[in-house]
Amino acid sequence: MPKPDIHPTWYPDAKVICNGKEVMTVGSTQPEIHVDVWSGNHPFYTGTQKIIDTEGRVDRFLRKYGMLDSSSESDSDAEK
């Protein structure tokens, strides 16, 4: 049992707001939580994340460990 008058107020239905729209409700010590990024618009979770390949490091890694298929290898050789 919690001690009286030492804990913050608990809001079981606190609203999480992103870009002016309510995106979910959670339990919190604040009635509204304003966020810039959440799982619904983050590139990692939406599948729009792009790998930035500097100096062909990803291709070199895939080629080194044999993870490239034959069509990818012929495409990269044609570019050189």
Side-chain angles (χ1 to χ4, degrees):
M1 189 101 182
K3 292 184 179 181
D5 301 327
I6 65 166
H7 295 282
T9 305
W10 181 253
Y11 299 96
D13 295 323
K15 298 174 184 169
V16 179
I17 299 171
C18 182
N19 295 330
K21 296 188 324 188
E22 180 181 339
V23 293
M24 68 176 79
T25 58
V26 296
S28 177
T29 58
Q30 297 183 359
E32 287 186 351
I33 303 168
H34 294 271
V35 296
D36 294 327
V37 177
W38 66 291
S39 61
N41 67 359
H42 191 279
F44 179 78
Y45 297 108
T46 59
T48 58
Q49 182 177 15
K50 297 185 187 214
I51 297 174
I52 299 173
D53 186 12
T54 52
E55 302 173 9
R57 292 179 184 180
V58 173
D59 286 334
R60 188 170 57 221
F61 174 84
L62 294 175
R63 198 170 33 250
K64 179 178 180 180
Y65 292 103
M67 295 180 199
L68 281 177
D69 58 345
S70 60
S71 64
S72 296
E73 289 178 11
S74 62
D75 292 343
S76 62
D77 290 341
E79 292 175 2
K80 293 179 182 177

